[in-house]
């Protein structure tokens, strides 16, 4: 019996038409089935065939609620006949794949044994099966089931055992309320926008295949369209691609320069440098050495106006260059002048050679731009520009040596000259602290000069703190000027 049932199942599967039945929400499945039951050894019941029926309702295309009942006749070891009537309620999931569906079910079965037995049991059931479509209305199903009775019975012995009862079944179902799918593409006729799809062609959600669609509406079907995203209204060739007459990879519909010479790089509008004039100066970009000429300015053959030329190549345009002949390679300021062209302090020595770039106006200087003597005629005080201390300290910075060495040389040249070294601060902080700091800085300068051979008796150190400002302490520049070391002649 088992071999016959399996053989029949195999033949039915091989002969099943590979078309999925179009179940939908609300479809009803009514069917008949043949079944073969095996019983747990503890029951003593013989395995037997059965017939039955089922009724199901599809909640969705995949989910179904199903009830099933069957009838079988079996016997006990003592020869007594037993009627077996199982009734099952199941929740099933149909996992569709192309034309078939795996069916997975879980349910609960009421087992009624009568005549030779008077036993009623119940327990869970699991089901695994395959569903095959045989047309718009019918489907063929082959299932394997397994029932478990937690408190079963044991024929001829005391106590109870859990019973495991497997079974196989093959059935044919009639589907009512199913939507037909005449072109067998998996989309119901009611929703199918392309009801005559050629067999086997994949379709989209509305039942249309690539040979039936024209997504970009260019008159070329998607299955041969090599450019499926053509711009609306573009003229296309037989492959569905918009034309590009000059071959610059910008389609004619968007090409503002349709006759670009072969090989020239183009921008998004299809124009090359030999066709563009970005600044509108009538010199095309490929020849324009000044591509950002202000509107209306007269340009030369290179597309450059006077405001853009830089004859000495110093990075400052001629229109703003106050030193138009800067030697090549020299760094310049915003006016186009290099150190060899500037004399910031107006002492007649260019900055590139000036070792004292902040000489007071009118002072006589040597070739290095520094004053030849400490004090000019009639001059009684001299601020030592370039004498710098560490912040908040009386320690001289290394850069101060050059200035102080010249002071020592001047004092050496005039051995009868005596001076006061005065330290000054701005008004930041307490006066007491500033007076002490200014005195310490004056002493540091004195010590440096003594170390250079100047007699200590010729030098007097004094700290004035913030008491003698020469500029307004309200500004950063004013405070910087007030922080100074000043020399005063004390000899006549």
């Amino acid at each position: 019996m088992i071999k016959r049932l399996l053989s029949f199942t195999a033949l039915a599967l091989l002969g099943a038409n590979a078309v999925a039945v179009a179940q939908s929400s609300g479809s009803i499945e009514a069917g008949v089935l043949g079944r073969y039951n095996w019983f747990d050894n503890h029951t003593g019941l013989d395995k037997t065939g059965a017939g039955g029926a089922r009724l199901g309702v599809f909640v969705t295309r995949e989910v179904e609620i199903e009830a099933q009942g069957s009838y079988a006749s079996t016997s006990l070891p003592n020869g007594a006949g037993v009627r077996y009537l199982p009734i099952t309620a199941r929740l099933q999931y149909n996992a569709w794949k192309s034309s078939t569906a795996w069916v997975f079910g879980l349910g609960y079965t009421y087992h009624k044994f009568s005549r030779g037995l008077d036993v009623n049991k119940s327990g869970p059931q699991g089901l695994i099966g395959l569903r095959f479509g045989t047309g718009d209305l019918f489907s063929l199903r082959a299932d394997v089931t397994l029932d478990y009775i937690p408190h079963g019975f044991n024929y001829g012995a005391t106590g109870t055992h859990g019973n495991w009862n497997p079974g196989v079944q093959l059935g044919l179902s009639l589907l009512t309320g199913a939507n037909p799918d005449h072109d067998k593409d998996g989309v119901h006729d009611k929703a199918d926008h392309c009801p005559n799809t050629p067999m086997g062609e994949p379709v989209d959600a509305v039942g249309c295949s690539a040979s039936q669609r024209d997504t970009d509406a260019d008159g070329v079907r998607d299955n041969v369209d090599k450019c499926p995203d053509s711009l609306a209204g573009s003229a296309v060739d037989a492959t569905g691609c918009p034309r590009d007459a000059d071959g610059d990879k910008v389609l004619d519909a968007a090409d503002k320069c349709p006759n670009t010479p072969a090989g020239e790089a183009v921008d998004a509008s299809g124009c090359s440098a030999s066709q563009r004039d970005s600044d509108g100066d009538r010199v095309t970009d490929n020849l324009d050495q000044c591509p950002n000429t202000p509107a209306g300015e007269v340009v030369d053959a290179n597309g450059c106006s006077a405001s853009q030329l830089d004859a000495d190549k110093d990075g400052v345009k001629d229109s703003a260059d106050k030193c138009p002949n800067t030697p090549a390679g020299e760094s310049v300021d915003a006016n186009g002048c290099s150190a060899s062209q500037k004399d910031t302090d107006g002492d007649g020595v260019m900055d590139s050679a000036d070792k004292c770039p902040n000489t007071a106006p009118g002072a006589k200087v040597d070739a290095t731009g520094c004053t030849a003597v400490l004090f000019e005629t009639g001059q009684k005080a001299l601020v030592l520009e370039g004498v710098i201390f560490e912040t908040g300290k009386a320690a001289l910075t290394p850069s101060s040596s050059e200035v102080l060495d010249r002071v020592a040389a001047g004092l050496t040249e005039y051995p009868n000259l005596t001076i006061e070294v005065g330290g000054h601060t701005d008004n930041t902080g307490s006066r007491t602290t500033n007076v002490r700091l200014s005195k310490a800085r004056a002493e540091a300068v004195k010590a440096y000069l003594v170390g250079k051979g100047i007699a200590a008796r010729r030098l007097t150190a004094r700290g004035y703190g913030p008491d003698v400002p020469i500029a307004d302490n309200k500004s950063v520049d004013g405070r910087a000027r007030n922080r100074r070391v000043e020399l005063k002649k004390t000899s006549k």
Side-chain angles (χ1 to χ4, degrees), residues 126-393:
L127 176 145
I128 298 177
L130 275 172
R131 181 192 298 275
F132 297 84
T134 62
D136 290 333
L137 297 177
F138 293 96
S139 70
L140 186 68
R141 273 179 53 186
D143 306 316
V144 176
T145 64
L146 180 62
D147 287 284
Y148 176 65
I149 303 175
H151 302 289
F153 59 89
N154 185 2
Y155 177 77
T158 59
T160 61
H161 296 271
N163 298 154
W164 294 92
N165 300 330
V168 296
Q169 57 192 34
L170 180 68
L172 184 66
S173 295
L174 171 68
L175 296 170
T176 63
N179 293 323
D181 177 16
H182 288 98
D183 58 3
K184 312 305 179 188
D185 61 359
V187 179
H188 308 161
D189 289 355
K190 290 182 180 179
D192 200 336
H193 292 188
C194 300
N196 299 308
T197 302
M199 182 65 68
E201 289 193 6
V203 298
D204 56 20
V206 296
C208 294
S209 68
S211 69
Q212 298 170 306
R213 286 190 304 268
D214 179 13
T215 303
D216 54 7
D218 61 359
V220 179
R221 300 293 178 185
D222 288 2
N223 61 322
V224 295
D225 198 336
K226 294 183 179 180
C227 300
D229 300 316
S230 302
L231 293 174
S234 297
V236 298
D237 57 23
T239 66
C241 292
R243 295 188 180 93
D244 177 15
D246 55 7
D248 60 1
K249 298 184 180 180
V250 177
L251 304 180
D252 290 357
D255 200 336
K256 295 182 179 179
C257 299
N259 300 309
T260 302
E264 289 194 7
V266 298
D267 57 19
S269 64
C271 295
S272 67
S274 69
Q275 298 169 306
R276 284 191 305 269
D277 178 15
S278 301
D279 55 7
D281 61 1
R282 300 189 180 182
V283 177
T284 55
D285 289 1
N286 62 317
L287 302 175
D288 200 335
Q289 296 180 16
C290 299
N292 299 309
T293 303
E297 291 195 5
V298 178
V299 299
D300 58 19
N302 296 319
C304 295
S305 67
S307 68
Q308 297 171 305
L309 295 173
D310 179 14
D312 54 7
K313 308 300 182 185
D314 61 358
V316 178
K317 301 302 179 184
D318 290 355
S319 57
D321 200 337
K322 294 182 179 180
C323 299
N325 299 308
T326 303
E330 291 192 5
S331 300
V332 297
D333 58 17
N335 295 318
C337 295
S338 67
S340 69
Q341 297 170 306
K342 289 185 295 189
D343 178 14
T344 304
D345 55 9
D347 61 1
V349 178
M350 293 299 173
D351 288 359
S352 58
D354 199 336
K355 294 184 179 180
C356 300
N358 298 309
T359 304
K364 294 181 180 180
V365 298
D366 57 20
T368 65
C370 298
T371 55
V373 294
L374 287 179
F375 300 97
E376 295 293 328
T377 302
Q379 184 182 18
K380 296 217 181 257
L382 174 66
V383 176
L384 296 183
E385 301 286 354
V387 174
I388 308 297
F389 295 90
E390 294 182 11
T391 303
K393 299 179 181 179

Side-chain angles (χ1 to χ4, degrees), residues 423-445:
H424 298 266
T425 67
D426 59 26
N427 65 351
T428 304
S430 71
R431 180 181 180 282
T432 300
T433 299
N434 284 328
V435 170
R436 185 168 57 249
L437 177 61
S438 64
K439 178 67 183 316
R441 288 179 171 177
E443 291 287 358
V445 171

